[in-house]
Amino acid sequence: MCSGRVDLSFVLRAFSNGMDGVFIGGCRLNECNYVTHGNYHTLNMVLLCRKIMEYVGLNPERLKIEFMSAGEGILFAEISNDFAKKIKELGPIGKSEGIDREVLKSKLAEIMKLVPYIKMQKNEKLASRHRNTQEYENLFTLEEIERLFSDVISYYIDPDKCQACMICSRRCPVEAIEGGKNLIHVIDQEKCIKCGTCFEVCPSRFGAIEKISGRPVPSSVPKEKRAIVRKSKEK
Ligand code: SF4
Ligand code: SF4
């Protein structure tokens, strides 16, 4: 219903599935029927996604957004035709840019995994509204995107602090935390989408979850060493 519903992950998935171009049509800016002005969010998401595409080595021209009213059928047809022509000129995704299909797929898969993280990190800019094209052009920079991916935060559970309260494993949206009653919890880094929920919900009296950036995540405690022996049971 609203172009604001078009998530960054939808666009990346389309490219990952081999679409050569993605076109998003939204209502005219400042003519939203709701207070949310979702089309501004979409515009910002597209600008962010275009920079991510540059980072990956894809031509950002493959993603286009235009704003028009429901009564502008001719304009819609013209824009769609022009975009289709442009995409045909650009050629097949990846191949035209000299990126191997499988390499592109795996790069996009890595980035798709980070979408919740990207959205949290760029939350303010994604919700911002600007007055002129210049401000929009400078909203995201390639250097910023490079930094975003080089400074990715990982989460790690300190085995000496975890009290197996199980709050984090219940709240993790992708079941990336292995645990159980009286077992030190561990994060499966392959499954983790770096949303930070576990860090937020681990009770402060335990403070067992660390944010890690710029250094490798320590390896997990082996399964056979995860049992927590409570002091009262030791006696
Ligand atoms: S950051 Fe924590 S809660 Fe979020 S996906 Fe990773 S392990 Fe799960
Ligand atoms: S919320 Fe904290 S203390 Fe509780 S299981 Fe998770 S890491 Fe351990």
Side-chain angles (χ1 to χ4, degrees):
M1 170 99 184
C2 174
S3 62
R5 177 68 184 95
V6 184
D7 194 81
L8 175 61
S9 59
F10 300 173
V11 181
L12 294 171
R13 193 167 63 220
F15 288 129
S16 174
N17 285 343
M19 295 298 119
D20 295 324
V22 173
F23 170 71
I24 302 167
C27 300
R28 285 190 178 280
L29 295 170
N30 301 318
E31 290 182 10
C32 180
N33 287 316
Y34 307 99
V35 290
T36 46
H37 289 275
N39 42 8
Y40 275 98
H41 288 252
T42 325
L43 172 58
N44 296 339
M45 179 278 288
V46 164
L47 295 169
L48 172 65
C49 191
R50 285 168 64 104
K51 284 290 167 210
I52 293 174
M53 291 167 75
E54 267 185 66
Y55 171 79
V56 171
L58 286 178
N59 189 330
E61 299 293 311
R62 295 184 181 279
L63 174 59
K64 184 177 179 67
I65 184 165
E66 281 288 348
F67 305 100
M68 65 204 77
S69 85
E72 292 176 306
I74 293 173
L75 180 65
F76 174 70
E78 280 172 3
I79 291 172
S80 305
N81 287 337
D82 287 351
F83 184 61
K85 201 169 144 221
K86 170 98 197 163
I87 294 302
K88 275 191 190 135
E89 281 166 15
L90 289 180
I93 191 164
K95 201 171 168 197
S96 308
E97 287 96 343
I99 313 173
D100 176 79
R101 179 87 194 91
E102 288 311 308
V103 173
L104 176 62
K105 228 176 152 49
S106 87
K107 276 186 179 179
L108 290 172
E110 279 302 306
I111 293 174
M112 277 193 281
K113 239 173 66 176
L114 293 175
V115 165
Y117 173 80
I118 297 169
K119 284 180 5 187
M120 270 192 324
Q121 294 296 312
K122 297 295 159 197
N123 184 26
E124 261 181 48
K125 281 193 181 182
L126 285 170
S128 62
R129 281 166 72 174
H130 302 276
R131 288 177 206 285
N132 58 57
T133 328
Q134 186 66 31
E135 283 180 353
Y136 273 109
E137 273 169 14
N138 298 330
L139 189 60
F140 297 103
T141 64
L142 190 54
E143 295 70 40
E144 177 183 5
I145 301 303
E146 282 166 356
R147 233 181 4 258
L148 175 73
F149 291 121
S150 66
D151 294 351
V152 167
I153 293 169
S154 297
Y155 293 87
Y156 168 71
I157 298 177
D158 183 337
D160 296 329
K161 293 185 180 169
C162 177
Q163 292 302 312
C165 69
M166 302 201 280
I167 295 174
C168 59
S169 54
R170 288 195 188 116
R171 295 285 297 276
C172 176
V174 291
E175 299 182 354
I177 302 180
E178 289 171 28
K181 206 175 166 199
N182 291 324
L183 288 176
I184 291 168
H185 284 43
V186 297
I187 295 175
D188 181 337
Q189 299 296 333
E190 281 304 304
K191 285 190 191 167
C192 174
I193 56 168
K194 306 182 193 309
C195 69
T197 304
C198 53
F199 181 80
E200 298 297 329
V201 300
C202 180
S204 56
R205 63 184 185 282
F206 304 143
I209 300 187
E210 284 177 25
K211 282 183 181 180
I212 293 184
S213 176
R215 65 182 166 98
V217 178
S219 45
S220 304
V221 185
K223 273 201 168 94
E224 62 279 8
K225 293 190 178 162
R226 290 186 195 164
I228 297 177
V229 182
R230 309 280 173 195
K231 284 213 169 90
S232 56
K233 296 209 172 135
E234 278 177 342
K235 288 174 195 169

